[in-house]
Amino acid sequence: MNSACALKMLEVGQKKSKELKVAMNIAVVDSGGNLVAFVRMDNAWLGSVDIAIKKAKTSVFFNMTTGTIGQISQPGGSLYCIEHSNGGLITFPGGVPIRDTTGHLIGAVGVSGSTVEHDHDVAEACVKGCNYN
């Protein structure tokens, strides 16, 4: 994950957010979960800064969307209570892994600031914005 691609994702994510008429926090991390780029759009919720970063980290740590993790971490699920690991994870939609053209995991994006449906839609737009997927 390079900074040019990460910044492009932020740009695409902000554009999609404006189309949806929402203000988002958008985080991009590398394959080790290290923050590469972040933006808090004007009037985006302050409480969602941490959530966006944790969505990105959760997605890269487990190489899947946070919505998928949420489904399998419900009571009785194989990953029940996983959100208490790794200093706190987020297990609802808005975190999406980023893979290069060969399918290799290179990072993840996390978005928070609206409904989980909008968060996920913006995250998906970000990933497509760098032409890796």
Side-chain angles (χ1 to χ4, degrees):
M1 171 57 54
N2 62 51
S3 60
C5 181
L7 292 172
K8 177 67 175 170
M9 285 187 222
L10 296 184
E11 179 184 322
V12 170
Q14 289 178 88
K15 181 179 177 187
K16 179 68 174 177
S17 299
K18 289 175 184 174
E19 288 172 14
L20 295 171
K21 296 181 172 50
V22 295
M24 297 291 202
N25 293 284
I26 306 169
V28 179
V29 299
D30 64 18
S31 60
N34 303 295
L35 190 63
V36 177
F38 180 86
V39 66
R40 177 178 170 259
M41 295 176 66
D42 293 344
N43 301 310
W45 298 332
L46 289 173
S48 289
V49 169
D50 184 58
I51 294 170
I53 294 168
K54 285 184 176 174
K55 282 182 181 183
K57 287 182 174 186
T58 300
S59 185
V60 82
F61 287 166
F62 295 96
N63 194 12
M64 64 180 83
T65 68
T66 54
T68 299
I69 295 169
Q71 291 172 0
I72 57 179
S73 65
Q74 297 301 307
S78 60
L79 294 180
Y80 180 58
C81 288
I82 194 156
E83 65 273 10
H84 301 290
S85 71
N86 294 287
L89 303 174
I90 301 295
T91 59
F92 46 87
V96 177
I98 305 162
R99 296 179 182 87
D100 66 16
T101 55
T102 66
H104 185 257
L105 181 70
I106 60 168
V109 62
V111 178
S112 184
S114 183
T115 65
V116 293
E117 294 83 9
H118 283 161
D119 293 355
H120 181 77
D121 290 346
V122 172
E124 285 284 344
C126 290
V127 172
K128 290 177 184 168
C130 205
N131 299 318
Y132 279 124
N133 297 68

